[in-house]
Amino acid sequence: MMWLYEDNHLLTLNKPSGLLSQADSTGHPDVITLAKNYIKNKYNKPGNAYIGLVHRLDRPSSGTMVLARTSKAARRLSKAFRERCVQKKYIAVVEGMLSGGGIMEDYLTKEADRAYVTHRSSSGKYASLKWEAVKCSGQFTLISIELITGRAHQIRCQFSHRGYPVVGDRRYGAHHRLDRHDCIALHCKSLCFEHPVKKERMEIKAPRPDYWKRLEI
């Protein structure tokens, strides 16, 4: 895991695919536990270090995450995400050939561990994103995405629903795997937000994983 920026109020990182954002019943490694250990060891803090989770990335995806180091920062960052004041940019490689760009708007519902597009606004949550095709290579397309809302599995579900699943995402119908079974070609390349205390505009960027090179795109 690569730490990108830190100060007394926040900690940012490049989350690798396969790593949980938060601990669950599996006992597998997670971002929050690793971040607490990092702060505790680096600053020789007694007891548990405070780390606040203000947003999540799906386990098989990778990219930029921001964590809070104080409860005040956690409240303010959580509010910024909730009120869509954070600019979230992703890149993905999808199966199929796409060109141009546009806006995807759907209503999503979630059952168990999967999201679905529903045609009834009363039973789903509004989901919106902007996308642009960057490059096509063989049977894949590199897509640039700005996430407007932040629904669970939103990008994975919306592109799969239109016949363009994210490479490696077998849960949403992908036929091609990446070298690692626990990753998909979906990466949060940057987050742009107002610092919770200093009020300065910040942009945190994370380089995409090296294993994407095998896609030759």
Side-chain angles (χ1 to χ4, degrees):
M1 187 161 64
M2 179 189 300
W3 306 110
L4 300 173
Y5 171 84
E6 66 180 274
D7 61 22
N8 292 331
H9 311 285
L10 53 83
L11 175 65
T12 68
L13 64 136
N14 185 1
K15 185 190 89 69
S17 59
L19 183 65
L20 292 165
S21 292
Q22 187 176 29
D24 64 9
S25 59
T26 65
H28 293 162
D30 68 281
V31 168
I32 295 298
T33 301
L34 293 173
K36 286 181 177 181
N37 290 337
Y38 167 75
I39 293 297
K40 179 178 173 64
N41 293 332
K42 181 174 181 178
Y43 298 103
N44 195 27
K45 285 183 171 291
N48 291 325
Y50 177 87
I51 293 290
L53 182 70
V54 297
H55 72 115
R56 293 174 173 81
L57 288 182
D58 293 344
R59 180 174 185 172
S61 63
S62 59
T64 314
M65 285 189 69
V66 57
L67 307 170
R69 289 192 57 193
T70 67
S71 58
K72 178 191 289 186
R75 289 193 302 272
R76 292 178 178 178
L77 287 169
S78 294
K79 182 180 179 182
F81 275 95
R82 187 170 59 250
E83 296 181 352
R84 303 177 190 172
C85 297
V86 179
Q87 186 179 45
K88 299 165 283 188
K89 293 185 178 181
Y90 287 71
I91 52 173
V93 180
V94 299
E95 297 182 355
M97 306 293 284
L98 273 169
S99 60
I103 297 176
M104 291 184 182
E105 294 180 297
D106 295 292
Y107 287 92
L108 305 185
T109 183
K110 197 166 184 288
E111 297 178 11
D113 292 327
R114 177 165 177 167
Y116 298 87
V117 171
T118 178
H119 297 291
R120 294 177 297 174
S121 60
S122 60
S123 60
K125 294 182 178 180
Y126 176 72
S128 175
L129 61 80
K130 298 178 183 178
W131 69 274
E132 182 179 1
V134 177
K135 180 182 178 183
C136 292
S137 176
Q139 52 197 329
F140 304 133
T141 305
L142 176 65
I143 305 292
S144 176
I145 300 160
E146 182 177 346
L147 198 56
I148 306 303
T149 57
R151 308 305 181 193
H153 296 194
Q154 179 180 334
I155 295 172
R156 301 162 65 184
C157 177
Q158 288 190 282
F159 277 91
S160 174
H161 178 71
R162 291 163 173 80
Y164 303 98
V166 174
V167 172
D169 197 358
R170 301 299 289 265
R171 178 175 295 180
Y172 286 92
H175 299 288
H176 296 83
R177 292 183 182 272
L178 290 171
D179 289 336
R180 294 171 50 191
H181 73 280
D182 60 351
C183 64
I184 62 177
L186 177 62
H187 179 77
C188 180
K189 69 176 185 178
S190 69
L191 293 173
C192 188
F193 57 93
E194 183 181 86
H195 191 283
V197 176
K198 299 177 183 178
K199 303 302 181 182
E200 300 169 350
R201 197 67 179 167
M202 302 185 66
E203 184 176 22
I204 307 297
K205 299 180 180 180
R208 70 182 185 178
D210 288 340
Y211 54 79
W212 281 32
K213 292 178 181 178
R214 69 170 294 272
L215 299 174
E216 297 182 351
I217 194 167

